[in-house]
Amino acid sequence: MAKIEKQEPKAPERREPVWEYATAPEATDIVRLEDRYGLFVGGEFVEPKSGKYFETINPATEETLAEVAEAGLEDVDLAVTAAREAHQKRWRDLPGTERAKYLFRIARMLQERAREFAVLETMDGGKPIKESRDVDLPLAAAHFFYYAGWADKLEYAFPHRRPRPLGVAGQVIPWNFPILMAAWKLAPALATGNTAVLKPAETTPLTALLLGQVIQEAELPPGVVNIVTGAGETGANVVTHPDVNKVAFTGSTEVGKTIRRALAGTGKHLTLELGGKAANIVFDDAPLDQAVEGVINGIFFNQGHVCCAGSRLLVQEPAFEPLLDKLKDRLQTLRVGNPLDKNTDIGAINSRQQLQKIEELVASGVQEGAEMYQPDCVLPERGFWFRPTLFTNVSQSHRIAREEIFGPVLSILTFRTPAEAVEKANNTPYGLSAGVWTDKGSRILWMAERMKAGVVWANTFNRFDPSSPFGGYKESGFGREGGLHGLEPYLDFDGDSE
Ligand code: NDP
């Protein structure tokens, strides 16, 4: 009789379920693109005197979306003249309660048309729809609501100081948060009784122009807001125009310095919100899973095109290995691709020029001896893309630890003591923001006191609220936007303004 061999029952093979996300594209038919956009001057869309137009493209597909007017010197002059006239005849002496009504109306219209704005923002700038829908638009509306509330309370905000508007504000904004930056600039300017000439970035003019339509429909008096599109030269013409009283600029430190030099001695009021190289500091007692989410959000939100991005991660040595493992795992799950897909975490890089800048800085990191890690995600063929990237073995002298990359690239360094963390965090010409992750409240306060940064987030990152002031130290600029502080740069307290 054959011997029956006793076989051990085989353990069922364990398979990790692989869940593929079905595509979930946001429909674009809500957006009505025009072939050509004019300048918004004196309450009307007008053709540019320059006769020039430039194309704005979708960075995820490289398709042309529309042609946009390029404002020349004469166009900027007309816009400033319209703003001056509106200030003197229609806006300056309007009671605060009336100004507030217009701002509330704009805020409500932004909410009503939020989806249209969000889709257009994503098409023109490349950011994921879930961000433009859930962050940019709600915050932009919130800024108008918030400053509408202040418009009739300036005497209470600044008791016994007789606050008066400055006049015409020239405002130049970047491409990373186009509609949100427009709201950050326009809402406090209008609430305080100033009129404005706004220059959106060359690569992302469309939502500002849609805001122009909203402003028209809100029946804001003509000339109170003027929008002049164009490139850097248009921005330079706005800020140096002799009849502009106040300049508010958000953008690169390099251009900020140029503007400051150009304005020296002119008597114009100036606020600058410039670059950053923020430290996100994780202590070994921090809840690591929460910290991972904060670190990921800190650097990969909006493809890292964020002035306050946590682009330098400082990790206390005992937490380095476990945190790195968790970060690498998390990176594998990030979805890079079509920004209009509601599942997308990382969208398109805003422009070819910005992509080249990121590539150049990343190459310098590899060349200088840092160790690069990228997940193996597949990138679309057309458009501008960059994989989420981590660098370890980074020293403080490396360019990737010093320069603003403005892309999805994180440089990881370590530290042993809180004092060393402070030293390394402050070892930068910038000073816009910082993050601290620890279980101990006393340590948060100890760190926050020593950090040379305008904003210090504790156990969170990239939190914004219209009532919270935001702004920098050192080469990150000066002046505050948001909150009560954000009113002050638009006001004169000596009683000798117009
Ligand atoms: P810029 O500083 O050049 O652009 C910001 C805004 O200023 C844009 O509207 C731009 O117009 C305008 N501008 C350009 N030159 C002048 C000038 N001489 N006078 C007045 N306005 C001007 O930033 P870039 O878009 O060139 O980006 C370069 C780098 O700057 C990025 O890689 C990033 O590191 C940093 N950056 C930082 C930002 C921040 O918020 N901290 C925001 C944007 C960029 P136009 O777009 O038409 O050139």
Side-chain angles (χ1 to χ4, degrees):
M1 210 167 75
K3 198 176 164 198
I4 299 170
E5 271 186 36
K6 202 178 161 199
Q7 286 193 344
E8 286 293 319
K10 256 193 183 168
E13 200 178 316
R14 271 198 69 207
R15 283 210 195 131
E16 291 292 333
V18 179
W19 299 97
E20 280 301 333
Y21 279 79
T23 54
E26 182 83 26
T28 57
D29 51 2
I30 195 166
V31 169
R32 277 193 315 277
L33 282 172
E34 291 171 25
D35 294 339
R36 268 194 167 184
Y37 288 84
L39 305 168
F40 185 60
V41 176
E44 300 289 337
F45 282 92
V46 297
E47 288 190 9
K49 299 280 180 207
S50 70
K52 291 187 192 161
Y53 289 83
F54 61 94
E55 290 183 344
T56 183
I57 65 162
N58 180 339
T61 60
E62 297 177 58
E63 281 160 5
T64 301
L65 295 171
E67 285 195 339
V68 179
E70 184 181 325
L73 192 57
E74 196 186 344
D75 297 299
V76 170
D77 191 46
L78 286 171
V80 175
T81 305
R84 172 65 56 200
E85 198 186 312
H87 184 246
Q88 288 173 342
K89 296 192 182 153
R90 296 187 273 276
W91 197 244
R92 176 181 67 180
D93 300 320
L94 205 62
T97 44
E98 292 302 310
R99 289 202 305 273
K101 282 185 197 168
Y102 288 108
L103 291 178
F104 278 125
R105 199 179 291 167
I106 294 169
R108 283 196 302 269
M109 289 171 80
L110 266 179
Q111 284 187 323
E112 281 160 16
R113 296 175 69 171
R115 193 168 152 249
E116 181 187 356
F117 270 95
V119 172
L120 185 60
E121 192 78 310
T122 287
M123 288 169 74
D124 202 20
K127 65 172 64 194
I129 185 70
K130 70 174 177 189
E131 292 180 8
S132 38
R133 181 194 63 198
D134 298 346
V135 181
D136 298 56
L137 261 299
L139 271 177
H143 271 267
F144 277 104
F145 275 122
Y146 176 78
Y147 280 111
W150 274 122
D152 62 343
K153 302 177 192 69
L154 299 177
E155 300 284 347
Y156 302 99
F158 306 102
H160 314 299
R161 293 181 66 194
R162 295 189 58 235
R164 298 281 299 144
L166 294 170
V168 176
Q171 308 180 312
V172 178
I173 55 173
W175 40 262
N176 51 347
F177 293 94
I179 188 68
L180 183 57
M181 287 301 110
W184 277 31
K185 296 280 179 283
L186 292 174
L190 303 192
T192 46
N194 297 277
T195 54
V197 177
L198 178 80
K199 207 298 271 175
E202 187 183 359
T203 58
T204 53
L206 294 184
T207 46
L209 292 168
L210 187 58
L211 181 65
Q213 287 176 21
V214 162
I215 283 170
Q216 218 175 18
E217 286 168 28
E219 295 178 353
L220 195 75
V224 171
V225 170
N226 304 273
I227 301 169
V228 288
T229 43
E233 201 183 323
T234 308
N237 289 336
V238 169
V239 300
T240 56
H241 193 288
D243 207 24
V244 162
N245 306 93
K246 147 90 194 152
V247 171
F249 172 81
T250 299
S252 62
T253 295
E254 191 192 344
V255 173
K257 285 181 181 175
T258 311
I259 292 177
R260 194 170 188 188
R261 274 195 291 271
L263 264 53
T266 62
K268 287 182 189 176
H269 293 241
L270 175 66
T271 40
L272 297 174
E273 201 264 272
L274 310 174
K277 192 74 191 174
N280 208 354
I281 304 167
V282 180
F283 284 91
D284 60 2
D285 64 346
L288 286 195
D289 288 323
Q290 265 170 277
V292 166
E293 289 311 307
V295 170
I296 295 282
N297 168 276
I299 185 61
F300 300 122
F301 174 65
N302 198 23
Q303 296 74 246
H305 300 329
V306 184
C307 47
C308 54
S311 52
R312 284 183 301 150
L313 174 63
L314 303 184
V315 191
Q316 199 163 22
E317 276 185 7
F320 174 70
E321 293 288 343
L323 188 68
L324 185 62
D325 287 348
K326 283 175 189 287
L327 281 174
K328 285 181 176 174
D329 281 353
R330 185 69 179 87
L331 241 62
Q332 288 289 354
T333 67
L334 290 177
R335 289 176 298 277
V336 185
N338 181 7
L340 280 166
D341 192 313
K342 288 166 226 162
N343 294 322
T344 292
D345 296 306
I346 299 184
I349 299 301
N350 184 265
S351 64
R352 185 183 299 282
Q353 196 189 6
Q354 187 59 28
L355 178 60
Q356 284 164 352
K357 183 186 164 185
I358 297 167
E359 285 170 345
E360 196 260 317
L361 273 160
V362 166
S364 84
V366 175
Q367 205 185 3
E368 289 185 314
E371 214 169 286
M372 185 172 81
Y373 173 83
Q374 291 179 325
D376 36 35
C377 52
V378 182
L379 301 181
E381 273 173 22
R382 287 199 65 138
F384 314 130
W385 309 96
F386 201 83
R387 287 193 172 81
T389 302
L390 303 181
F391 272 110
T392 49
N393 218 2
V394 179
S395 93
Q396 290 188 83
S397 61
H398 288 166
R399 284 182 67 199
I400 52 169
R402 289 185 291 120
E403 294 180 31
E404 186 179 48
I405 301 175
F406 228 60
V409 183
L410 180 66
S411 301
I412 308 179
L413 298 98
T414 58
F415 68 92
R416 290 182 185 169
T417 63
E420 188 188 345
V422 170
E423 187 115 343
K424 283 185 168 165
N426 289 338
N427 184 17
T428 165
Y430 296 111
L432 196 54
S433 65
V436 181
W437 297 81
T438 172
D439 204 24
K440 295 184 186 61
S442 56
R443 185 179 276 163
I444 289 170
L445 297 175
W446 191 90
M447 292 291 293
E449 233 174 29
R450 286 160 180 79
M451 219 72 83
K452 295 268 184 296
V455 180
V456 181
W457 285 293
N459 292 330
T460 184
F461 209 89
N462 274 343
R463 289 268 166 202
F464 295 96
D465 188 281
S467 62
S468 247
F470 182 86
Y473 269 79
K474 304 192 282 184
E475 293 204 8
S476 292
F478 52 82
R480 294 291 177 264
E481 293 183 304
L484 181 67
H485 302 68
L487 294 165
E488 217 164 330
Y490 288 96
L491 289 167
D492 185 278
F493 297 101
D494 303 331
D496 61 1
S497 63
E498 285 181 75

Short mmCIF file of all heavy atoms in Angstrom, two decimals, residues 114 232 281 325 365:
data_model
loop_
_atom_site.label_atom_id
_atom_site.label_comp_id
_atom_site.label_asym_id
_atom_site.label_seq_id
_atom_site.Cartn_x
_atom_site.Cartn_y
_atom_site.Cartn_z
N ALA A 114 -18.02 79.70 -7.99
CA ALA A 114 -16.77 79.09 -7.53
C ALA A 114 -16.31 77.96 -8.46
O ALA A 114 -15.12 77.84 -8.75
CB ALA A 114 -16.93 78.57 -6.11
N GLY A 232 6.54 91.08 -17.41
CA GLY A 232 7.24 91.83 -16.37
C GLY A 232 7.29 93.33 -16.63
O GLY A 232 7.19 94.14 -15.71
N ILE A 281 10.14 71.34 10.94
CA ILE A 281 11.01 70.68 11.91
C ILE A 281 10.25 69.58 12.65
O ILE A 281 9.24 69.85 13.31
CB ILE A 281 11.53 71.72 12.94
CG1 ILE A 281 12.22 72.86 12.18
CG2 ILE A 281 12.45 71.09 13.96
CD1 ILE A 281 12.49 74.07 13.04
N ASP A 325 11.14 56.30 5.89
CA ASP A 325 10.40 55.14 5.34
C ASP A 325 8.95 55.52 5.08
O ASP A 325 8.39 55.19 4.04
CB ASP A 325 10.43 53.97 6.34
CG ASP A 325 11.81 53.33 6.37
OD1 ASP A 325 12.63 53.62 5.48
OD2 ASP A 325 12.07 52.54 7.32
N GLY A 365 21.59 69.31 -7.12
CA GLY A 365 21.54 68.52 -5.89
C GLY A 365 22.26 67.19 -6.08
O GLY A 365 23.06 66.77 -5.24
#
